[in-house]
Amino acid sequence: LPIQRISQADAVRLLRRARDGGMDFFDTARSYTDSEEKLGAAFSGSWNGIVLATKTPAKTPDQFRADLDASLRAFRTDHIDLYQFHNPPACPRPGDGSGLYEAMLEAKRQGKIRFIGITNHRLQVAREAVQSGLYDALQFPFSYLSTPEETRLAEDCLRAGMGFVAMKALSGGLITDSAAACAWIMEHKGVVPIWGVQRERELEEFLSYIAAPPRLTGEMREKIGDDRAALSGEFCRGCGYCMPCPQGIQINTCARASLLLRRAPSEMLLSEEGVRIMEKVPDCVHCGQCAAKCPYGLDTPALLARNYQDYREVLAGKLL
């Protein structure tokens, strides 16, 4: 996903360095603007040794087929290793009336895909996918901030013989110790993380863990415990499924402003652009659209209000 934010030349260089450094699983989506095209530019003609995964948000079989063909053209390949339903509100099944799973099976028979996957942010949909026996892999948010129920989900996939792809292993930037994040992930069998990088220094950090895998130390465990305590309760994961906001509020930034200011580099939020973004929050009309779409059931307008108040206090303190 992050490579949609950089130029094609930079993305190609980053992707090839990732492969040369030992990364062999690349996950993207039809919805990530030009990310598929950038992968195609980087690896066209040299997909050997790479496991390629992408996703479709299709709601109908015709949309499904159009998305799949568009992805194949973008990648410049004749098949995709793992093709995933992208965060559907319900688990697609044969005979459910949508025709989506049947379209997936058709694509597999045609040799256009090898394995069938599903991604989600809703625990119940993820559970249904695991229990259905219909899927080869599940992609779900997974980090050391995950709840015991989410951890059991990964264990259930292992028992079911399913792959588990850990999205948001850094919890959208709230986890700042990548070594601890990686070490914790490695404690769980059958789980592969997709870190998401757009800068060379980030990539090199993760490539270094291939040669020298980090192990959980006492210091790391203490850090994890502190982070869990600080982030207990309701917080925005930054998934963005609440957007777009009809009032133009950048919800997935504004609803996390307080945490981002304290846990991640804050220059952007304290810049002129950051102020402009945050000053949209008072425009909220409490229409409820964002809360209705939140896969975590958050009261998003209330969360925005709390973050805005805290942000103003931090900004006032900085300006003083």
Side-chain angles (χ1 to χ4, degrees):
L1 184 151
I3 62 167
Q4 66 184 320
R5 306 181 190 126
I6 58 178
S7 70
Q8 179 162 306
D10 287 342
V12 167
R13 183 167 58 251
L14 200 71
L15 289 163
R16 289 177 177 171
R17 171 61 190 136
R19 179 189 59 188
D20 293 344
M23 288 188 176
D24 57 10
F25 178 67
F26 293 84
D27 173 271
T28 186
R30 185 91 287 267
S31 302
Y32 300 162
T33 61
D34 63 352
S35 293
E36 290 183 335
E37 285 79 3
K38 287 169 176 172
L39 278 158
F43 300 136
S44 175
S46 57
W47 288 105
N48 288 343
I50 290 175
V51 177
L52 175 62
T54 193
K55 320 177 189 78
T56 173
K59 302 293 191 296
T60 69
D62 286 345
Q63 290 173 351
F64 178 98
R65 296 183 191 98
D67 275 356
L68 177 55
D69 288 343
S71 292
L72 291 170
R73 287 194 300 270
F75 290 133
R76 308 176 199 176
T77 187
D78 62 358
H79 75 278
I80 292 162
D81 296 301
L82 176 61
Y83 201 52
Q84 304 157 104
F85 292 119
H86 197 167
N87 196 44
C91 176
R93 297 169 177 268
D96 64 8
S98 72
L100 290 171
Y101 197 87
E102 288 85 349
M104 187 75 88
L105 289 176
E106 177 189 34
K108 188 173 183 179
R109 285 193 298 269
Q110 293 171 341
K112 293 182 177 181
I113 65 170
R114 294 181 61 214
F115 297 99
I116 300 172
I118 184 170
T119 80
N120 226 268
H121 289 257
R122 302 166 184 85
L123 190 58
Q124 184 54 42
V125 175
R127 281 182 182 142
E128 290 176 10
V130 177
Q131 294 165 2
S132 72
L134 296 169
Y135 292 91
D136 299 304
L138 169 70
Q139 184 174 148
F140 194 80
F142 194 65
S143 72
Y144 66 61
L145 297 178
S146 293
T147 65
E149 282 185 319
E150 291 165 341
T151 301
R152 281 195 293 273
L153 189 64
E155 296 167 353
D156 290 343
C157 280
L158 184 63
R159 282 191 290 270
M162 290 175 61
F164 187 99
V165 182
M167 70 165 104
K168 298 194 177 297
L170 295 176
S171 196
L174 297 181
I175 293 174
T176 56
D177 187 335
S178 66
C182 184
W184 186 88
I185 287 279
M186 290 175 62
E187 294 280 298
H188 298 82
K189 293 181 180 179
V191 175
V192 59
I194 44 174
W195 300 109
V197 297
Q198 68 184 75
R199 299 177 181 87
E200 189 172 353
R201 61 176 173 79
E202 297 168 345
L203 176 61
E204 294 302 326
E205 194 170 323
F206 289 113
L207 289 179
S208 73
Y209 301 150
I210 296 177
R215 295 289 182 261
L216 276 178
T217 63
E219 185 178 349
M220 285 179 180
R221 292 182 190 278
E222 185 176 346
K223 168 69 172 174
I224 289 171
D226 290 344
D227 282 354
R228 285 173 172 167
L231 292 166
S232 61
E234 292 190 342
F235 68 94
C236 173
R237 276 75 167 178
C239 69
Y241 286 105
C242 57
M243 296 169 67
C245 168
Q247 298 301 111
I249 300 170
Q250 195 170 310
I251 299 171
N252 56 349
T253 296
C254 298
R256 299 191 301 153
S258 182
L259 291 171
L260 290 172
L261 284 169
R262 287 162 174 77
R263 303 180 60 81
S266 59
E267 289 81 2
M268 188 282 286
L269 278 176
L270 295 175
S271 68
E272 184 177 336
E273 172 66 7
V275 172
R276 185 190 67 77
I277 290 171
M278 290 302 301
E279 288 303 327
K280 288 291 293 179
V281 173
D283 294 343
C284 176
V285 295
H286 296 264
C287 67
Q289 289 188 33
C290 53
K293 292 186 287 185
C294 178
Y296 300 97
L298 299 176
D299 184 347
T300 317
L303 197 59
L304 284 169
R306 290 199 300 271
N307 275 265
Y308 178 72
Q309 181 179 359
D310 191 48
Y311 173 80
R312 290 301 303 175
E313 291 174 359
V314 171
L315 188 62
K318 182 177 177 64
L319 293 176
L320 288 175

